[in-house]
Amino acid sequence: MEQLFDGKYKIITTIGEGGTSTVYLAQNVKLGTLWAIKQIHKPSNTKIDLLAEPNILKRLNHPALPRIFDIVDQDEYLYIIEDFVEGISLERELENKKKFSEEKVLDWCKQLCEVLHYLHTLTPNPIIFRDVKPANIILTYDEKIKLVDFGIAREYKEASGNDTTYMGTKGYAAPEQYGGGQTDARTDIYSLGVSLYHLLTGNAPNIPPYEIKPVRQLNNTYTKHIEYLISRCTEQDPNKRFQTVEEIITFIEHISSGHKQSIGASETELLKPPADKTPISMQEKNTIVFKKTIFTVWGCAEFASEFAVMAAQLSSFEVLIINLDFTAQKLDYFMNIQQIKKGVFNEVLEAVAQKKLTKGKFKTACYQKDALKNLYILLSDYDIDNYHRYKDINIEDLIQSAYRYFDICMINVNPSIFDIYTIYALKNADYNLIPIVPSIDNIRVYRTQTAYIQKKHNIPMEQTRYIAYEYKKHVSPSIGDIKNEVGHQKYLGHISYQTQRENLRNYNISFADQMQRRYIDEYIDILAKFNIVPRRIMPTKIRDWLRIKS
C-alpha cells in the first residue's frame, strides 16, 4: 500500500479478493486517474490460460464493461490494469438493503440483457460470460449497471462439443457448466434468472437448500410476469429457457408498457406471459431444483444404500454413492454387490490426481444395479491396509469430480470423529445426514461429536440433519422428544423398523431392492425436503407410478 507499481501506479487499497487473484485500487501518479489492477497468481504446471480474460477484454467496447489498459507480466504474477468501475456490487448492496423492488430488478435485468446481447452477438465468436451473479454486477452512483470479472468467460465456438473445464459459482451456475455440455448464451440466461431471484427475494441460491421457489409463494404481491420470467430463465433444460436475451428484453418491454392485461393476445407462444391461472410449467414444478447436492452419511451404510436407491428410483437424477469408510466396509453388502472390481478405485484416484478423470471413466469404475440405470456405486477393494494406503488422497478433488459429473453425490463415512475421511467429507458436503437408532443416549453422543468437530476442525454443523432410523413406534422415544433433543429444524424424519429388513439382512439380501413398492412413503418425505422429489406429488401417486414402472 502507498507504494508505486510499475513505476507509475500508487496502490491505494484492496477492493476484491478471489481464489487466485486480488484486485487493487490504484492511482496513476502522473495523470491522477484511478485504475483497477488485478493481480493473478501464476501456478506452475497449469493448463489455465491466464491471458484468457485480457484477451477477451481487449476486444470489447461497451459502456457497461471495463476496458483493459495494460498487461504486466512479473515473476509469479500477471497484472491486468483496467478501468476502475466506481460503485458498489449488488452483492454488497443486498447486504444493506436485503432485497429490491420488482420494478428496480426488472430495470437492472434489462440493462444486463443489453450488455449480454452485446457479448453474445460478437463476431466472429460470441462471448459467454458464465458467471452472472450479484457479486459481479456493479451499481454505479448514477444507477447504471456494469458487468465485471471476466475470469471464466469463454468464446463460443460451434465446433466445440463441451467446455474444456467446469467453472461457475455454485447455485448460480447452470447445469451444463458441470460437464453436461457446451455452455452458450442460454447458460448466461440461467445465471441471470438466478440472480434476479436473489435480488428480488433476498434468498441466496448458494446457501442450502439450493432452491428457488416460485416467487409468489414467498410474496403474493409480486406479479405473475416476474415469476414466469425467473421460472423460464432457470429451467434445467436449456431448450426450455428463453433462447436469447433479446426475447427477455422484448418480454420486459411488453410488461413495462402498461399493457399488462392485454399482453399476449397477438404475441407468439414464446412471449406469452402467464394467464390468470398459473402456467402449466409452474404447476408441474412447485420448486425449481438445483440438482447438484453432496451428502455425507455417518456410519450407516444400510440407510445410505436405501436413500441412494430411492433417490434414483423416484427421480431422473444421476446418483453416485461413494464408500469412504475403509475400516468397516458394508456398502457392498447392503447394495448386494457380490464381487469387488480390483484396482478400479485406485484408477479413479490416479485419474483425479492427474486431472484426467472423465465422466465416462468415472462411470466405468462404478457398479450399477440392473434395475437402475441412474445409480452409480464407487467401492474400493476391501483391505484393512486401505485406511493407511489412501491417507494422502485428495478427497476434495475426488468429491469435486463427483460433484461435476453427477447430480446427487452421497458419501458413506465412518462415524468416528477422528476418521480423516469423515472430516474431509464433512468439509465438502452440503448436508451431513446422521441416521441414528432412536434413543436419547445415541442422540446425545452424536450431538457431542458434532460439537467436537465444529470446535476442533472449524466445520460448521448448521447443515447437520438427523434421521430416526429403524424407528419403533411403541419403543422409541416420541417424535416430539427426538425433535426436542436434536432441534426441530435439524430433524428430517423417521424410517420405521421393518422385520423384513432384519430378516433380509441376515440372508445377505438387499432390503433396498425389495422396498420399491413398499415402505417408500417415509423416504419420499425425506427426499422431498431436498427437492429430489416434488413436494406436491402424493405418495399414492408415486406408488402407482412405481407399480407401472416395475
Side-chain angles (χ1 to χ4, degrees), residues 422-479:
T422 300
I423 301 303
Y424 283 136
L426 292 175
K427 285 182 177 180
N428 287 274
D430 299 314
Y431 292 100
N432 304 309
L433 307 184
I434 304 181
I436 50 176
V437 175
S439 65
I440 300 302
D441 60 320
N442 273 339
I443 293 171
R444 290 177 178 173
V445 166
Y446 274 100
R447 283 175 50 196
T448 303
Q449 289 181 327
T450 56
Y452 174 85
I453 286 176
Q454 184 167 5
K455 184 175 181 179
K456 180 71 174 179
H457 298 285
N458 197 29
I459 301 175
M461 303 304 289
E462 288 82 0
Q463 298 312 314
T464 298
R465 297 292 185 270
Y466 291 87
I467 301 97
Y469 187 66
E470 295 207 294
Y471 181 80
K472 297 179 179 179
K473 188 173 182 180
H474 300 295
V475 177
S476 303
S478 70
I479 297 298

Side-chain angles (χ1 to χ4, degrees), residues 164-197:
T164 53
T165 58
Y166 95 92
M167 292 182 177
T169 301
K170 187 172 185 179
Y172 298 93
E176 59 269 21
Q177 288 181 259
Y178 299 96
Q182 181 175 197
T183 53
D184 58 25
R186 298 170 300 179
T187 303
D188 285 343
I189 287 172
Y190 182 95
S191 300
L192 172 66
V194 177
S195 299
L196 298 180
Y197 174 83

Side-chain angles (χ1 to χ4, degrees), residues 100-107 109 193 196-197 199-201 212-216 219 221-234 242 251-252 255 260 273-274 282 288:
F100 300 100
S101 69
E102 181 173 333
E103 182 180 12
K104 189 177 289 292
V105 170
L106 283 173
D107 176 51
C109 177
L196 298 180
Y197 174 83
L199 295 169
L200 184 69
T201 67
I212 295 181
K213 294 179 180 293
V215 295
R216 284 168 58 81
N219 186 338
T221 64
Y222 296 139
T223 68
K224 295 176 182 177
H225 300 88
I226 198 163
E227 182 177 86
Y228 175 76
L229 171 63
I230 292 172
S231 172
R232 185 72 179 279
C233 287
T234 53
F242 286 103
F251 183 75
I252 293 174
I255 65 177
K260 294 183 179 180
M282 293 298 293
I288 301 168

Side-chain angles (χ1 to χ4, degrees), residues 170-178 180 190 205 209-212 234-238 241 287-295 311 315-320 359 402-410 430-431 530-533:
K170 187 172 185 179
Y172 298 93
E176 59 269 21
Q177 288 181 259
Y178 299 96
Y190 182 95
Y210 309 115
E211 66 179 18
I212 295 181
T234 53
E235 289 280 1
Q236 294 289 311
D237 182 353
R241 299 173 201 155
T287 308
I288 301 168
V289 179
F290 290 86
K291 301 193 304 182
K292 303 285 182 175
T293 309
I294 300 172
F295 298 95
S315 75
S316 59
F317 298 156
E318 289 195 319
V319 180
L320 170 71
K359 187 173 185 178
Y403 181 79
R404 175 182 182 181
Y405 293 131
F406 298 89
D407 301 318
I408 299 168
C409 174
M410 299 186 61
D430 299 314
Y431 292 100
F530 299 111
N531 302 312
I532 295 171
V533 299

Side-chain angles (χ1 to χ4, degrees), residues 349-400:
L349 296 180
E350 290 173 7
V352 168
Q354 297 170 9
K355 310 294 183 185
K356 293 181 179 179
L357 184 63
T358 63
K359 187 173 185 178
K361 186 177 292 185
F362 206 142
K363 287 186 172 182
T364 300
C366 294
Y367 301 85
Q368 280 193 277
K369 302 179 79 63
D370 293 337
L372 291 173
K373 301 301 182 184
N374 59 331
L375 176 62
Y376 299 85
I377 308 157
L378 183 63
L379 301 172
S380 62
D381 307 350
Y382 182 72
D383 188 331
I384 195 63
D385 292 332
N386 282 351
Y387 189 87
H388 301 288
R389 181 186 306 164
Y390 297 135
K391 64 182 176 62
D392 295 323
I393 66 176
N394 192 322
I395 299 291
E396 287 89 345
D397 283 356
L398 175 63
I399 293 173
Q400 286 303 311

Side-chain angles (χ1 to χ4, degrees), residues 213-365:
K213 294 179 180 293
V215 295
R216 284 168 58 81
Q217 287 187 12
L218 303 175
N219 186 338
N220 61 11
T221 64
Y222 296 139
T223 68
K224 295 176 182 177
H225 300 88
I226 198 163
E227 182 177 86
Y228 175 76
L229 171 63
I230 292 172
S231 172
R232 185 72 179 279
C233 287
T234 53
E235 289 280 1
Q236 294 289 311
D237 182 353
N239 294 319
K240 294 181 180 179
R241 299 173 201 155
F242 286 103
Q243 298 299 288
T244 67
V245 290
E246 288 177 287
E247 294 175 0
I248 300 176
I249 292 172
T250 303
F251 183 75
I252 293 174
E253 288 175 346
H254 275 78
I255 65 177
S256 302
S257 64
H259 300 94
K260 294 183 179 180
Q261 299 304 320
S262 59
I263 175 176
S266 60
E267 298 298 319
T268 64
E269 189 67 27
L270 177 69
L271 294 178
K272 281 185 180 179
D276 291 338
K277 294 180 68 176
T278 304
I280 291 176
S281 62
M282 293 298 293
Q283 291 174 354
E284 291 174 346
K285 58 176 186 182
N286 188 42
T287 308
I288 301 168
V289 179
F290 290 86
K291 301 193 304 182
K292 303 285 182 175
T293 309
I294 300 172
F295 298 95
T296 57
V297 178
W298 280 28
C300 187
E302 190 168 32
F303 169 82
S305 64
E306 292 177 9
F307 188 85
V309 167
M310 296 313 299
Q313 181 72 39
L314 297 172
S315 75
S316 59
F317 298 156
E318 289 195 319
V319 180
L320 170 71
I321 183 166
I322 303 175
N323 181 62
L324 289 184
D325 183 355
F326 299 122
T327 59
Q329 298 189 81
K330 299 178 182 178
L331 193 63
D332 55 335
Y333 183 85
F334 292 119
M335 282 291 190
N336 199 25
I337 295 171
Q338 303 299 325
Q339 189 171 359
I340 305 294
K341 302 175 185 177
K342 297 293 183 181
V344 292
F345 189 76
N346 292 340
E347 292 173 7
V348 169
L349 296 180
E350 290 173 7
V352 168
Q354 297 170 9
K355 310 294 183 185
K356 293 181 179 179
L357 184 63
T358 63
K359 187 173 185 178
K361 186 177 292 185
F362 206 142
K363 287 186 172 182
T364 300

